[in-house]
Amino acid sequence: MRNKALLAGLAIVAVAVLYRLFSFTPELVGFSGPTMGTTYTVKFITHKNAPDEAMIKDSVDQVLVKVNKLMSTYDPSSELSLFNRSAAGQSYEASDDIAYVVNAALKISELTDGAYDVTVGPLVNLWGFGPGKHEDRVPTQEEIESAKSKVGYHYLSLDGNQLKKTKDVYVDLSSIAKGYGVDQVALTLEQYGINNYLVEVGGEIRTKGMKLDDAHWEIGVESPAGGHSIAQKVIQADNLSIATSGDYRNYFEKNGVRYSHTIDPKTGKPITHRLVSVTIISDSVMLADGLATAINVLGPVKGLEFAERNDIAAYMLVKEDFGFKEEYSKAFKPYLN
């Protein structure tokens, strides 16, 4: 009797397993949450061998908490904050993540001859766009020159994981860390066998595969004039890494003058040209994130020249007296609908 009961039980389990295998229907599911001072969203197509959604969300949250704990300038205990407080001339053993991201940031700094500068933090903080409480105040030229004296990517070096500064510079990875976070979340999904997904952190996006019924992922480039719900351009985004940099969200106004959060390291002041939005498609969201900021600093003319010279897929919106003008590099043309 016991053997018969055991066999019957096993048969029920086998039937349940077979039913799940043959009756499984893929679904588009998703979740979101807060991270890095902004929000994230993950959408993906389920498959029969993937763990449940709650477990995947827990893994994603752990990844994002780790990136923030390593690279936040707002967290005084983060690895980046500890390095920034370390003495000049000392060698610092950086984690693999910090070394990887700083290496990419240094390459972009060199490629743009300092238009993008990974040590721009003192100027960002001076203008009130960094950690801590700030008032909307225009710094004096003396204060700007003092902050500029602490900026210079060439004072920072990386040898393997050995990070060193020859001057008391302040490293700020805000322009590239979100992109790195997106890439790490995407890698986590793929480790679970998920190959159809969209990951977004603060507007930086990575997609892979397709949606249900072979529908394409579509990404709208936000119109600076229309807010979050209006798209200036829609990109068919299959297997893409996309990042956008713009000055139309984070700024302050003083005496009728608008001051952008994007700081030009060479002048020490917010950008004043008419380029208001840059969208980059690259091999990784981390690179797209950094390159979008770099071109946003360079401006519409030099930025487009830089994109063409380096075969970068760039889409730019330039403010005109009435509305906005589209500019894009040759490498971006295949993505236009």
Side-chain angles (χ1 to χ4, degrees):
M1 292 294 292
R2 286 183 180 178
N3 288 339
K4 288 183 178 180
L6 178 61
L7 289 172
L10 291 173
I12 292 171
V13 171
V15 169
V17 170
L18 288 171
Y19 178 79
R20 184 185 176 201
L21 288 174
F22 290 103
S23 67
F24 178 81
T25 302
E27 295 180 292
L28 175 63
V29 300
F31 49 83
S32 59
T35 186
M36 302 185 197
T38 182
T39 60
Y40 78 86
T41 299
V42 172
K43 297 179 181 180
F44 63 92
I45 307 300
T46 58
H47 67 86
K48 59 188 176 185
N49 296 318
D52 61 38
E53 186 180 330
M55 181 180 293
I56 295 173
K57 184 179 188 302
D58 183 61
S59 296
V60 166
D61 285 336
Q62 288 181 39
V63 167
L64 292 172
V65 166
K66 177 185 176 183
V67 173
N68 194 62
K69 187 64 181 174
L70 290 171
M71 303 178 193
S72 173
T73 55
Y74 288 78
D75 181 355
S77 66
S78 73
E79 181 178 339
L80 187 62
S81 293
L82 294 177
F83 171 73
N84 282 334
R85 291 200 300 271
S86 67
Q90 293 182 352
S91 186
Y92 183 92
E93 179 71 23
S95 65
D96 290 342
D97 297 82
I98 286 284
Y100 182 76
V101 176
V102 168
N103 183 56
L106 281 172
K107 287 182 177 178
I108 297 173
S109 299
E110 293 168 357
L111 191 63
T112 60
D113 191 29
Y116 174 97
D117 194 316
V118 68
T119 68
V120 75
L123 287 166
V124 173
N125 297 342
L126 176 65
W127 282 91
F129 297 109
K133 294 182 179 180
H134 301 283
E135 58 178 315
D136 293 344
R137 183 182 73 87
V138 179
T140 66
Q141 188 60 39
E142 184 179 1
E143 290 174 319
I144 292 171
E145 293 302 325
S146 176
K148 280 179 65 179
S149 70
K150 300 176 183 177
V151 174
Y153 69 92
H154 48 281
Y155 297 121
L156 186 68
S157 63
L158 181 68
D159 183 7
N161 281 42
Q162 296 299 309
L163 192 57
K164 188 175 182 179
K165 49 186 175 181
T166 56
K167 192 174 182 178
D168 188 23
V169 293
Y170 177 98
V171 177
D172 188 343
L173 298 174
S174 302
S175 62
I176 200 169
K178 282 191 302 179
Y180 180 70
V182 173
D183 290 333
Q184 291 301 295
V185 170
L187 180 61
T188 299
L189 295 178
E190 290 177 19
Q191 288 172 343
Y192 281 123
I194 296 169
N195 292 306
N196 297 280
Y197 60 75
L198 179 148
V199 178
E200 177 265 341
V201 176
E204 323 304 12
I205 297 170
R206 180 162 164 171
T207 65
K208 186 176 182 180
M210 310 283 279
K211 294 194 291 185
L212 290 174
D213 301 321
D214 292 330
H216 299 286
W217 299 106
E218 291 186 335
I219 307 299
V221 178
E222 184 179 324
S223 169
H228 299 282
S229 61
I230 299 179
Q232 179 78 22
K233 179 70 65 179
V234 175
I235 301 170
Q236 186 173 296
D238 304 329
N239 305 311
L240 295 182
S241 296
I242 307 174
T244 298
S245 176
D247 73 343
Y248 50 91
R249 285 192 199 171
N250 194 4
Y251 62 91
F252 72 85
E253 292 186 5
K254 197 74 172 177
N255 299 323
V257 180
R258 191 170 183 270
Y259 296 95
S260 166
H261 77 289
T262 303
I263 310 298
D264 184 340
K266 295 184 183 297
T267 65
K269 300 177 182 180
I271 56 175
T272 57
H273 52 65
R274 290 196 160 199
L275 177 56
V276 295
S277 172
V278 183
T279 296
I280 300 294
I281 296 175
S282 190
D283 294 333
S284 71
V285 187
M286 178 189 69
L287 288 177
D289 201 1
L291 289 170
T293 299
I295 291 178
N296 201 28
V297 173
L298 286 167
V301 177
K302 291 182 178 179
L304 185 57
E305 290 174 351
F306 172 79
E308 297 289 19
R309 191 165 58 247
N310 293 282
D311 196 30
I312 295 168
Y315 173 84
M316 305 185 297
L317 293 176
V318 183
K319 184 173 177 57
E320 294 189 310
D321 292 338
F322 301 98
F324 300 90
K325 178 178 67 174
E326 294 179 325
E327 297 276 4
Y328 49 84
S329 64
K330 292 177 182 177
F332 197 90
K333 284 184 179 180
Y335 304 105
L336 295 172
N337 292 334

